[in-house]
Amino acid sequence: MSEQDRFLNTNKRELKTYQEARLQNTENLRKLVVDAAATILQEEGPEAVTVRKVSQKMGCSTKIIYSLFVNKEGLAQQLYLDGCKIMAREFEATPALADPRAHLLALGETYWQFAQRYTSYYKLMFGGAFGDFKPDEESMQGTVTAMRQLIHVIGSAQQQGLLSAAAPTDTIEIVRLVWGALHGVIHLQMGGHFGDVPSAHATYQQTISLLASTLFAKQEG
């Protein structure tokens, strides 16, 4: 290899390294911005998360944040995906139980605890607290990933023939029915319609218990 070829190859390697470093710096900056927004989200709630407030916390101009996320909704999407990761982690940490009905009850309790411990994330994801933000396809896929434990429990129970004949035949439809009922109780609780938290929790537990009894009526009969 000639000296010129070695020089050109060296420059190509340096160029690739520079491009990778630039990309890495951009990703690091995006992460720092999301972390700052997440801190505001947890400390002050979804309504407090604005591009200006995040830029002030970061000590940078709003222009930098707009260049990374385009708008507030772009930042909201990243927070939504972070919330999905947290929820997935909580579900995955729930001990798997041999009895699918008991496992469903355990996952239901995990969902309640997620909503109480990460209330700001919950409101952003499912409570409409971020104005006109609507989850895009990537965000919706993040939700499906976060709920894969619940999907697995229902799907497994179907395969074993443990569900009531009156239950829908589509796994996702059943998951939506369960999710909708549980979300309804949590949403009303957050709106102050059930009094104190213990009372709301008791209503929630009754709701998931009734759902499980209905779904697994065949097992219990």
Side-chain angles (χ1 to χ4, degrees):
M1 181 183 294
S2 68
E3 187 68 27
Q4 182 178 7
D5 288 338
R6 282 196 296 271
F7 176 77
L8 290 174
N9 286 338
T10 299
N11 277 354
K12 286 179 182 178
R13 288 196 298 272
E14 289 177 350
L15 178 60
K16 181 180 179 181
T17 301
Y18 169 73
Q19 290 172 335
E20 290 175 344
R22 186 174 181 181
L23 178 61
Q24 186 64 51
N25 286 337
T26 299
E27 289 304 312
N28 287 340
L29 183 55
R30 283 175 63 89
K31 185 179 185 306
L32 289 172
V33 171
V34 173
D35 287 347
T39 299
I40 297 172
L41 177 69
Q42 285 290 84
E43 293 179 351
E44 304 180 46
E47 300 83 358
V49 182
T50 64
V51 172
R52 181 173 297 280
K53 196 155 190 173
V54 173
S55 69
Q56 290 173 345
K57 191 170 187 64
M58 287 286 297
C60 67
S61 68
T62 57
K63 183 178 179 180
I64 291 176
I65 296 177
Y66 281 122
S67 70
L68 293 169
F69 297 98
V70 181
N71 51 33
K72 179 180 174 181
E73 285 69 32
L75 183 56
Q77 180 186 0
Q78 291 304 309
L79 291 171
Y80 185 103
L81 292 173
D82 276 4
C84 287
K85 291 177 183 177
I86 295 171
M87 189 166 71
R89 184 186 69 207
E90 297 294 305
F91 275 135
E92 289 167 3
T94 303
L97 300 173
D99 178 5
R101 182 182 186 279
H103 197 178
L104 175 62
L105 293 174
L107 290 173
E109 180 61 22
T110 295
Y111 189 63
W112 169 271
Q113 294 301 332
F114 167 75
Q116 304 308 309
R117 292 172 58 193
Y118 300 96
T119 300
S120 293
Y121 273 106
Y122 188 91
K123 288 181 177 179
L124 180 149
M125 295 166 68
F126 308 127
F130 230 76
D132 296 330
F133 169 69
K134 300 293 182 185
D136 62 8
E137 185 176 347
E138 182 184 5
S139 300
M140 295 303 291
Q141 184 56 46
T143 308
V144 172
T145 300
M147 294 209 165
R148 63 175 175 261
Q149 300 294 326
L150 181 57
I151 295 171
H152 173 73
V153 169
I154 297 298
S156 178
Q158 282 180 305
Q159 291 176 359
Q160 296 176 61
L162 298 177
L163 296 186
S164 166
T169 57
D170 184 73
T171 303
I172 299 301
E173 186 177 350
I174 297 175
V175 170
R176 285 173 176 167
L177 288 171
V178 173
W179 184 20
L182 299 186
H183 169 71
V185 177
I186 292 173
H187 193 67
L188 288 170
Q189 176 254 322
M190 289 183 175
H193 298 286
F194 285 150
D196 56 24
V197 174
S199 297
H201 191 197
T203 300
Y204 181 90
Q205 290 175 318
Q206 290 174 345
T207 300
I208 184 65
S209 180
L210 284 171
L211 283 169
S213 295
T214 301
L215 285 173
F216 291 93
K218 183 175 181 179
Q219 184 186 16
E220 295 177 342

